[in-house]
Each structure stands twice: as structure tokens, then as C-alpha cells.
Amino acid sequence: LLYSCAGYICEVVYCSIGARKIVNRGFLRGPYLPIYGFGALAVIVALEPFKTSPVVVFIGGVVLTSALEYLGSWLLERLFNIKLWDYSRRWGNINGRVCLRNSFLFGLMALALMYWLHPSVEDLVAHLPEEAVHVLAFLIVLLLTVDTTASVFRMVEFRRMLEEWKEKMAELQIRLDILRKQNMGQNHASSLRERLQEEMDAFKDRLHKRSVFFMHQFPTMSSRNKDFQEYFEM
């Protein structure tokens, strides 16, 4: 959890500097990014035996964290047909999921983790009473489980509303075509069009309220689904 929180801070600072405004980050609501926590533990467990060689730690950190980021992106796309981050425009990217610049930064973070941060964290945890460790671990698992479950449901609802938007747009087009073909007074036709537009505006407002969290958190959100991608751009 400590490394997940540290990763969240790094992401917010890094993205806020680039955007020149405060940018919240993460799929979850809390101030933590579990992918950083898992990445940090993977680096510690796998590279501890090679701690005497900073070069091996750096290269291993690049490979492990990049593989984890790629896997996370792939899983999210398979589950929701949505890419929460897309590095397609960056040089040295692999399917837009990972890129050379980020991988290099992850390697530097692996060095900082192994030689500076982890010894301090290890010392901190070692000084906690055993009972406190068990209670904290239980509360952390409970917190992340609730947050993850709520976030998955929120993403499912977001995707459902995109599907509904697609159907509404098609329905609106059909109804407008019928209006054009029918021989009715100009005032009546205009009134019907206004009602249809109001209906679409109301739905669009609902969609905006549901999507603003994800679009703010992940401004490069994209999808290989053509319809979804058009909605994101809109």
C-alpha cells in the first residue's frame, strides 16, 4: 500500500507538470495505484539477489515494470474494450501500451526503490507490533476490495452508457428521417425536432456526468472500437 501511494504521488506530480494543472490519476478512487505496489514488490522479490549490481537492477526494473504495465493495459482493454492510457504517439512504444521514456523512468525508480526507499520502509514495518500489522493488512485488503469492486461497476456502467449513446444516436437519425419524409406543417416538424434535440441533450448531460471522472483521470483514453473512439473525441 505504501508503494501504491508513492506511485500515486509520482503520477500526479509527473502528469500535473506536463498538463500545467493538478491532474488526479488512477482507476480507483483512493490516493493509490496498485500497479505501482505490485511493480515495486516484483522488483524487490526478483532483484534482491542482484542488489550488488545497479545495472542489473536498472535493466530488471525496466523489464518487470514494463511487462506489468503492458499486462495491465491489455487486461483493461480485454475486459472493457477501453485503453486508459495510450502511448501510440510516443517514440519506442509497443502497441501504445508501454513506451521507452516511461520504461526508462521506471528503471530509475527501481534503483531509488532498491537502494533508498525500501530499506526505510522495511525498517518502518519491522518496528510495528505484530498485531498491528495483521489488523492493518486486513483493513488494507478490505479497503482495496471495496474500492476495486465499486470502480469496476463504475467502468461497466460507463461502457453501458456508451453503448446506449450509440443506440440513441441511431434512433434519433431514424426519427429525423421520418420527419423529413412526412408531409406536416413546418411549425409542427420544428417542434418535434426541438423535442428530439432536448431528449438527446438530456442524455448527453447524463453521459457527461458519468464519464467526466474517467476522462479527467485518463485524458489519453482511447479504444480500438471505432464508435467508442468517436465518442471519446466528442
PDB file of all heavy atoms in Angstrom, residues 166-194:
ATOM      1  N   LYS A 166     -24.784   5.139 -28.506  1.00  0.00           N
ATOM      2  CA  LYS A 166     -24.745   4.672 -29.892  1.00  0.00           C
ATOM      3  C   LYS A 166     -26.156   4.357 -30.402  1.00  0.00           C
ATOM      4  O   LYS A 166     -26.536   4.749 -31.509  1.00  0.00           O
ATOM      5  CB  LYS A 166     -23.855   3.420 -29.984  1.00  0.00           C
ATOM      6  CG  LYS A 166     -23.786   2.793 -31.357  1.00  0.00           C
ATOM      7  CD  LYS A 166     -22.917   1.537 -31.302  1.00  0.00           C
ATOM      8  CE  LYS A 166     -22.904   0.811 -32.635  1.00  0.00           C
ATOM      9  NZ  LYS A 166     -22.101  -0.420 -32.584  1.00  0.00           N
ATOM     10  N   GLU A 167     -26.949   3.656 -29.588  1.00  0.00           N
ATOM     11  CA  GLU A 167     -28.319   3.312 -29.970  1.00  0.00           C
ATOM     12  C   GLU A 167     -29.196   4.560 -30.073  1.00  0.00           C
ATOM     13  O   GLU A 167     -30.014   4.680 -30.986  1.00  0.00           O
ATOM     14  CB  GLU A 167     -28.910   2.332 -28.954  1.00  0.00           C
ATOM     15  CG  GLU A 167     -28.215   0.980 -28.925  1.00  0.00           C
ATOM     16  CD  GLU A 167     -28.675   0.115 -27.758  1.00  0.00           C
ATOM     17  OE1 GLU A 167     -29.586   0.553 -27.013  1.00  0.00           O
ATOM     18  OE2 GLU A 167     -28.118  -0.999 -27.596  1.00  0.00           O
ATOM     19  N   LYS A 168     -29.027   5.510 -29.144  1.00  0.00           N
ATOM     20  CA  LYS A 168     -29.818   6.737 -29.162  1.00  0.00           C
ATOM     21  C   LYS A 168     -29.541   7.567 -30.410  1.00  0.00           C
ATOM     22  O   LYS A 168     -30.453   8.147 -31.008  1.00  0.00           O
ATOM     23  CB  LYS A 168     -29.502   7.574 -27.916  1.00  0.00           C
ATOM     24  CG  LYS A 168     -30.141   7.062 -26.636  1.00  0.00           C
ATOM     25  CD  LYS A 168     -31.594   7.498 -26.554  1.00  0.00           C
ATOM     26  CE  LYS A 168     -32.197   7.117 -25.208  1.00  0.00           C
ATOM     27  NZ  LYS A 168     -33.627   7.491 -25.135  1.00  0.00           N
ATOM     28  N   MET A 169     -28.255   7.634 -30.789  1.00  0.00           N
ATOM     29  CA  MET A 169     -27.891   8.388 -31.988  1.00  0.00           C
ATOM     30  C   MET A 169     -28.539   7.783 -33.229  1.00  0.00           C
ATOM     31  O   MET A 169     -29.030   8.500 -34.103  1.00  0.00           O
ATOM     32  CB  MET A 169     -26.370   8.427 -32.135  1.00  0.00           C
ATOM     33  CG  MET A 169     -25.655   9.291 -31.101  1.00  0.00           C
ATOM     34  SD  MET A 169     -26.102  11.028 -31.193  1.00  0.00           S
ATOM     35  CE  MET A 169     -25.293  11.489 -32.720  1.00  0.00           C
ATOM     36  N   ALA A 170     -28.517   6.444 -33.314  1.00  0.00           N
ATOM     37  CA  ALA A 170     -29.137   5.763 -34.454  1.00  0.00           C
ATOM     38  C   ALA A 170     -30.647   5.998 -34.461  1.00  0.00           C
ATOM     39  O   ALA A 170     -31.251   6.255 -35.516  1.00  0.00           O
ATOM     40  CB  ALA A 170     -28.831   4.268 -34.394  1.00  0.00           C
ATOM     41  N   GLU A 171     -31.251   5.928 -33.266  1.00  0.00           N
ATOM     42  CA  GLU A 171     -32.700   6.150 -33.151  1.00  0.00           C
ATOM     43  C   GLU A 171     -33.060   7.581 -33.551  1.00  0.00           C
ATOM     44  O   GLU A 171     -34.051   7.811 -34.256  1.00  0.00           O
ATOM     45  CB  GLU A 171     -33.132   5.879 -31.710  1.00  0.00           C
ATOM     46  CG  GLU A 171     -34.614   6.133 -31.453  1.00  0.00           C
ATOM     47  CD  GLU A 171     -34.944   6.073 -29.974  1.00  0.00           C
ATOM     48  OE1 GLU A 171     -34.214   5.400 -29.212  1.00  0.00           O
ATOM     49  OE2 GLU A 171     -35.927   6.715 -29.591  1.00  0.00           O
ATOM     50  N   LEU A 172     -32.264   8.547 -33.116  1.00  0.00           N
ATOM     51  CA  LEU A 172     -32.519   9.943 -33.456  1.00  0.00           C
ATOM     52  C   LEU A 172     -32.465  10.152 -34.968  1.00  0.00           C
ATOM     53  O   LEU A 172     -33.309  10.852 -35.543  1.00  0.00           O
ATOM     54  CB  LEU A 172     -31.486  10.840 -32.764  1.00  0.00           C
ATOM     55  CG  LEU A 172     -31.553  12.335 -33.102  1.00  0.00           C
ATOM     56  CD1 LEU A 172     -32.872  12.920 -32.626  1.00  0.00           C
ATOM     57  CD2 LEU A 172     -30.391  13.085 -32.485  1.00  0.00           C
ATOM     58  N   GLN A 173     -31.482   9.539 -35.607  1.00  0.00           N
ATOM     59  CA  GLN A 173     -31.342   9.696 -37.051  1.00  0.00           C
ATOM     60  C   GLN A 173     -32.564   9.139 -37.780  1.00  0.00           C
ATOM     61  O   GLN A 173     -33.067   9.740 -38.734  1.00  0.00           O
ATOM     62  CB  GLN A 173     -30.069   8.991 -37.529  1.00  0.00           C
ATOM     63  CG  GLN A 173     -29.684   9.308 -38.979  1.00  0.00           C
ATOM     64  CD  GLN A 173     -29.478  10.794 -39.201  1.00  0.00           C
ATOM     65  OE1 GLN A 173     -28.741  11.442 -38.468  1.00  0.00           O
ATOM     66  NE2 GLN A 173     -30.141  11.349 -40.205  1.00  0.00           N
ATOM     67  N   ILE A 174     -33.050   7.981 -37.330  1.00  0.00           N
ATOM     68  CA  ILE A 174     -34.236   7.370 -37.941  1.00  0.00           C
ATOM     69  C   ILE A 174     -35.450   8.282 -37.779  1.00  0.00           C
ATOM     70  O   ILE A 174     -36.214   8.514 -38.730  1.00  0.00           O
ATOM     71  CB  ILE A 174     -34.515   5.984 -37.310  1.00  0.00           C
ATOM     72  CG1 ILE A 174     -33.410   4.996 -37.706  1.00  0.00           C
ATOM     73  CG2 ILE A 174     -35.880   5.447 -37.744  1.00  0.00           C
ATOM     74  CD1 ILE A 174     -33.471   3.679 -36.968  1.00  0.00           C
ATOM     75  N   ARG A 175     -35.635   8.805 -36.573  1.00  0.00           N
ATOM     76  CA  ARG A 175     -36.793   9.654 -36.308  1.00  0.00           C
ATOM     77  C   ARG A 175     -36.727  10.956 -37.100  1.00  0.00           C
ATOM     78  O   ARG A 175     -37.739  11.470 -37.578  1.00  0.00           O
ATOM     79  CB  ARG A 175     -36.889   9.930 -34.802  1.00  0.00           C
ATOM     80  CG  ARG A 175     -37.289   8.686 -34.017  1.00  0.00           C
ATOM     81  CD  ARG A 175     -36.958   8.775 -32.549  1.00  0.00           C
ATOM     82  NE  ARG A 175     -37.869   9.644 -31.814  1.00  0.00           N
ATOM     83  CZ  ARG A 175     -37.759   9.855 -30.488  1.00  0.00           C
ATOM     84  NH1 ARG A 175     -36.798   9.226 -29.804  1.00  0.00           N
ATOM     85  NH2 ARG A 175     -38.607  10.640 -29.865  1.00  0.00           N
ATOM     86  N   LEU A 176     -35.529  11.507 -37.274  1.00  0.00           N
ATOM     87  CA  LEU A 176     -35.373  12.714 -38.085  1.00  0.00           C
ATOM     88  C   LEU A 176     -35.656  12.432 -39.561  1.00  0.00           C
ATOM     89  O   LEU A 176     -36.244  13.260 -40.268  1.00  0.00           O
ATOM     90  CB  LEU A 176     -33.963  13.278 -37.911  1.00  0.00           C
ATOM     91  CG  LEU A 176     -33.663  13.948 -36.563  1.00  0.00           C
ATOM     92  CD1 LEU A 176     -32.190  14.314 -36.472  1.00  0.00           C
ATOM     93  CD2 LEU A 176     -34.524  15.180 -36.357  1.00  0.00           C
ATOM     94  N   ASP A 177     -35.223  11.244 -40.029  1.00  0.00           N
ATOM     95  CA  ASP A 177     -35.505  10.861 -41.415  1.00  0.00           C
ATOM     96  C   ASP A 177     -37.008  10.745 -41.653  1.00  0.00           C
ATOM     97  O   ASP A 177     -37.520  11.159 -42.705  1.00  0.00           O
ATOM     98  CB  ASP A 177     -34.820   9.527 -41.747  1.00  0.00           C
ATOM     99  CG  ASP A 177     -33.314   9.670 -41.857  1.00  0.00           C
ATOM    100  OD1 ASP A 177     -32.844  10.816 -42.021  1.00  0.00           O
ATOM    101  OD2 ASP A 177     -32.604   8.647 -41.772  1.00  0.00           O
ATOM    102  N   ILE A 178     -37.716  10.167 -40.667  1.00  0.00           N
ATOM    103  CA  ILE A 178     -39.177  10.042 -40.776  1.00  0.00           C
ATOM    104  C   ILE A 178     -39.830  11.423 -40.831  1.00  0.00           C
ATOM    105  O   ILE A 178     -40.748  11.663 -41.626  1.00  0.00           O
ATOM    106  CB  ILE A 178     -39.736   9.233 -39.580  1.00  0.00           C
ATOM    107  CG1 ILE A 178     -39.275   7.773 -39.679  1.00  0.00           C
ATOM    108  CG2 ILE A 178     -41.267   9.298 -39.550  1.00  0.00           C
ATOM    109  CD1 ILE A 178     -39.619   6.934 -38.464  1.00  0.00           C
ATOM    110  N   LEU A 179     -39.326  12.341 -40.008  1.00  0.00           N
ATOM    111  CA  LEU A 179     -39.873  13.700 -40.010  1.00  0.00           C
ATOM    112  C   LEU A 179     -39.713  14.369 -41.376  1.00  0.00           C
ATOM    113  O   LEU A 179     -40.611  15.057 -41.861  1.00  0.00           O
ATOM    114  CB  LEU A 179     -39.157  14.549 -38.954  1.00  0.00           C
ATOM    115  CG  LEU A 179     -39.633  14.432 -37.505  1.00  0.00           C
ATOM    116  CD1 LEU A 179     -38.772  15.309 -36.604  1.00  0.00           C
ATOM    117  CD2 LEU A 179     -41.093  14.840 -37.373  1.00  0.00           C
ATOM    118  N   ARG A 180     -38.539  14.149 -41.990  1.00  0.00           N
ATOM    119  CA  ARG A 180     -38.290  14.766 -43.295  1.00  0.00           C
ATOM    120  C   ARG A 180     -39.216  14.214 -44.376  1.00  0.00           C
ATOM    121  O   ARG A 180     -39.600  14.916 -45.299  1.00  0.00           O
ATOM    122  CB  ARG A 180     -36.819  14.560 -43.684  1.00  0.00           C
ATOM    123  CG  ARG A 180     -35.873  15.551 -43.020  1.00  0.00           C
ATOM    124  CD  ARG A 180     -34.498  15.504 -43.660  1.00  0.00           C
ATOM    125  NE  ARG A 180     -33.789  14.270 -43.313  1.00  0.00           N
ATOM    126  CZ  ARG A 180     -32.963  14.169 -42.290  1.00  0.00           C
ATOM    127  NH1 ARG A 180     -32.754  15.209 -41.496  1.00  0.00           N
ATOM    128  NH2 ARG A 180     -32.346  13.038 -42.040  1.00  0.00           N
ATOM    129  N   LYS A 181     -39.524  12.905 -44.262  1.00  0.00           N
ATOM    130  CA  LYS A 181     -40.351  12.255 -45.281  1.00  0.00           C
ATOM    131  C   LYS A 181     -41.842  12.560 -45.123  1.00  0.00           C
ATOM    132  O   LYS A 181     -42.595  12.504 -46.083  1.00  0.00           O
ATOM    133  CB  LYS A 181     -40.125  10.736 -45.237  1.00  0.00           C
ATOM    134  CG  LYS A 181     -38.732  10.329 -45.690  1.00  0.00           C
ATOM    135  CD  LYS A 181     -38.518   8.831 -45.515  1.00  0.00           C
ATOM    136  CE  LYS A 181     -37.098   8.432 -45.903  1.00  0.00           C
ATOM    137  NZ  LYS A 181     -36.847   6.980 -45.670  1.00  0.00           N
ATOM    138  N   GLN A 182     -42.264  12.851 -43.880  1.00  0.00           N
ATOM    139  CA  GLN A 182     -43.683  13.110 -43.648  1.00  0.00           C
ATOM    140  C   GLN A 182     -44.046  14.524 -44.078  1.00  0.00           C
ATOM    141  O   GLN A 182     -43.272  15.464 -43.922  1.00  0.00           O
ATOM    142  CB  GLN A 182     -44.038  12.911 -42.165  1.00  0.00           C
ATOM    143  CG  GLN A 182     -44.022  11.447 -41.739  1.00  0.00           C
ATOM    144  CD  GLN A 182     -44.371  11.290 -40.267  1.00  0.00           C
ATOM    145  OE1 GLN A 182     -44.295  12.244 -39.507  1.00  0.00           O
ATOM    146  NE2 GLN A 182     -44.765  10.076 -39.882  1.00  0.00           N
ATOM    147  N   ASN A 183     -45.244  14.633 -44.583  1.00  0.00           N
ATOM    148  CA  ASN A 183     -45.738  15.932 -45.034  1.00  0.00           C
ATOM    149  C   ASN A 183     -46.501  16.582 -43.890  1.00  0.00           C
ATOM    150  O   ASN A 183     -47.684  16.310 -43.675  1.00  0.00           O
ATOM    151  CB  ASN A 183     -46.648  15.750 -46.258  1.00  0.00           C
ATOM    152  CG  ASN A 183     -47.043  17.089 -46.847  1.00  0.00           C
ATOM    153  OD1 ASN A 183     -46.421  18.113 -46.571  1.00  0.00           O
ATOM    154  ND2 ASN A 183     -48.105  17.085 -47.659  1.00  0.00           N
ATOM    155  N   MET A 184     -45.861  17.411 -43.121  1.00  0.00           N
ATOM    156  CA  MET A 184     -46.524  18.071 -41.992  1.00  0.00           C
ATOM    157  C   MET A 184     -46.113  19.530 -41.962  1.00  0.00           C
ATOM    158  O   MET A 184     -45.169  19.955 -42.633  1.00  0.00           O
ATOM    159  CB  MET A 184     -46.149  17.389 -40.673  1.00  0.00           C
ATOM    160  CG  MET A 184     -44.671  17.432 -40.334  1.00  0.00           C
ATOM    161  SD  MET A 184     -44.314  16.734 -38.702  1.00  0.00           S
ATOM    162  CE  MET A 184     -44.743  15.031 -38.975  1.00  0.00           C
ATOM    163  N   GLY A 185     -46.838  20.275 -41.171  1.00  0.00           N
ATOM    164  CA  GLY A 185     -46.556  21.694 -41.089  1.00  0.00           C
ATOM    165  C   GLY A 185     -45.157  21.970 -40.576  1.00  0.00           C
ATOM    166  O   GLY A 185     -44.615  21.211 -39.774  1.00  0.00           O
ATOM    167  N   GLN A 186     -44.590  23.073 -41.054  1.00  0.00           N
ATOM    168  CA  GLN A 186     -43.226  23.437 -40.687  1.00  0.00           C
ATOM    169  C   GLN A 186     -43.084  23.651 -39.180  1.00  0.00           C
ATOM    170  O   GLN A 186     -42.111  23.222 -38.567  1.00  0.00           O
ATOM    171  CB  GLN A 186     -42.822  24.716 -41.433  1.00  0.00           C
ATOM    172  CG  GLN A 186     -41.382  25.161 -41.176  1.00  0.00           C
ATOM    173  CD  GLN A 186     -40.362  24.153 -41.683  1.00  0.00           C
ATOM    174  OE1 GLN A 186     -40.617  23.475 -42.679  1.00  0.00           O
ATOM    175  NE2 GLN A 186     -39.244  24.032 -40.991  1.00  0.00           N
ATOM    176  N   ASN A 187     -44.092  24.281 -38.588  1.00  0.00           N
ATOM    177  CA  ASN A 187     -44.043  24.550 -37.149  1.00  0.00           C
ATOM    178  C   ASN A 187     -44.061  23.252 -36.332  1.00  0.00           C
ATOM    179  O   ASN A 187     -43.342  23.106 -35.350  1.00  0.00           O
ATOM    180  CB  ASN A 187     -45.226  25.430 -36.730  1.00  0.00           C
ATOM    181  CG  ASN A 187     -45.087  26.843 -37.252  1.00  0.00           C
ATOM    182  OD1 ASN A 187     -43.986  27.293 -37.561  1.00  0.00           O
ATOM    183  ND2 ASN A 187     -46.212  27.554 -37.359  1.00  0.00           N
ATOM    184  N   HIS A 188     -44.942  22.313 -36.771  1.00  0.00           N
ATOM    185  CA  HIS A 188     -45.043  21.036 -36.057  1.00  0.00           C
ATOM    186  C   HIS A 188     -43.736  20.246 -36.164  1.00  0.00           C
ATOM    187  O   HIS A 188     -43.256  19.675 -35.186  1.00  0.00           O
ATOM    188  CB  HIS A 188     -46.205  20.226 -36.629  1.00  0.00           C
ATOM    189  CG  HIS A 188     -46.486  18.956 -35.866  1.00  0.00           C
ATOM    190  ND1 HIS A 188     -46.623  18.935 -34.488  1.00  0.00           N
ATOM    191  CD2 HIS A 188     -46.641  17.671 -36.283  1.00  0.00           C
ATOM    192  CE1 HIS A 188     -46.863  17.700 -34.090  1.00  0.00           C
ATOM    193  NE2 HIS A 188     -46.872  16.915 -35.171  1.00  0.00           N
ATOM    194  N   ALA A 189     -43.169  20.209 -37.380  1.00  0.00           N
ATOM    195  CA  ALA A 189     -41.907  19.493 -37.594  1.00  0.00           C
ATOM    196  C   ALA A 189     -40.787  20.116 -36.768  1.00  0.00           C
ATOM    197  O   ALA A 189     -39.975  19.414 -36.159  1.00  0.00           O
ATOM    198  CB  ALA A 189     -41.536  19.513 -39.071  1.00  0.00           C
ATOM    199  N   SER A 190     -40.760  21.445 -36.724  1.00  0.00           N
ATOM    200  CA  SER A 190     -39.730  22.144 -35.951  1.00  0.00           C
ATOM    201  C   SER A 190     -39.868  21.839 -34.461  1.00  0.00           C
ATOM    202  O   SER A 190     -38.871  21.634 -33.759  1.00  0.00           O
ATOM    203  CB  SER A 190     -39.847  23.647 -36.200  1.00  0.00           C
ATOM    204  OG  SER A 190     -38.913  24.346 -35.420  1.00  0.00           O
ATOM    205  N   SER A 191     -41.117  21.783 -33.983  1.00  0.00           N
ATOM    206  CA  SER A 191     -41.371  21.480 -32.576  1.00  0.00           C
ATOM    207  C   SER A 191     -40.896  20.071 -32.221  1.00  0.00           C
ATOM    208  O   SER A 191     -40.291  19.856 -31.169  1.00  0.00           O
ATOM    209  CB  SER A 191     -42.866  21.626 -32.286  1.00  0.00           C
ATOM    210  OG  SER A 191     -43.151  21.252 -30.957  1.00  0.00           O
ATOM    211  N   LEU A 192     -41.159  19.114 -33.123  1.00  0.00           N
ATOM    212  CA  LEU A 192     -40.729  17.734 -32.888  1.00  0.00           C
ATOM    213  C   LEU A 192     -39.204  17.626 -32.858  1.00  0.00           C
ATOM    214  O   LEU A 192     -38.636  16.911 -32.046  1.00  0.00           O
ATOM    215  CB  LEU A 192     -41.306  16.813 -33.953  1.00  0.00           C
ATOM    216  CG  LEU A 192     -42.799  16.473 -33.806  1.00  0.00           C
ATOM    217  CD1 LEU A 192     -43.289  15.695 -35.018  1.00  0.00           C
ATOM    218  CD2 LEU A 192     -43.045  15.661 -32.540  1.00  0.00           C
ATOM    219  N   ARG A 193     -38.554  18.352 -33.767  1.00  0.00           N
ATOM    220  CA  ARG A 193     -37.088  18.330 -33.807  1.00  0.00           C
ATOM    221  C   ARG A 193     -36.514  18.888 -32.500  1.00  0.00           C
ATOM    222  O   ARG A 193     -35.519  18.386 -31.980  1.00  0.00           O
ATOM    223  CB  ARG A 193     -36.581  19.144 -34.996  1.00  0.00           C
ATOM    224  CG  ARG A 193     -36.778  18.479 -36.339  1.00  0.00           C
ATOM    225  CD  ARG A 193     -35.964  19.154 -37.437  1.00  0.00           C
ATOM    226  NE  ARG A 193     -36.293  18.617 -38.744  1.00  0.00           N
ATOM    227  CZ  ARG A 193     -37.218  19.115 -39.552  1.00  0.00           C
ATOM    228  NH1 ARG A 193     -37.910  20.194 -39.170  1.00  0.00           N
ATOM    229  NH2 ARG A 193     -37.458  18.577 -40.729  1.00  0.00           N
ATOM    230  N   GLU A 194     -37.109  19.954 -31.993  1.00  0.00           N
ATOM    231  CA  GLU A 194     -36.643  20.546 -30.743  1.00  0.00           C
ATOM    232  C   GLU A 194     -36.790  19.558 -29.582  1.00  0.00           C
ATOM    233  O   GLU A 194     -35.909  19.461 -28.727  1.00  0.00           O
ATOM    234  CB  GLU A 194     -37.431  21.824 -30.446  1.00  0.00           C
ATOM    235  CG  GLU A 194     -37.054  22.990 -31.348  1.00  0.00           C
ATOM    236  CD  GLU A 194     -37.889  24.233 -31.052  1.00  0.00           C
ATOM    237  OE1 GLU A 194     -38.663  24.191 -30.065  1.00  0.00           O
ATOM    238  OE2 GLU A 194     -37.767  25.213 -31.802  1.00  0.00           O
TER     239      GLU A 194
END
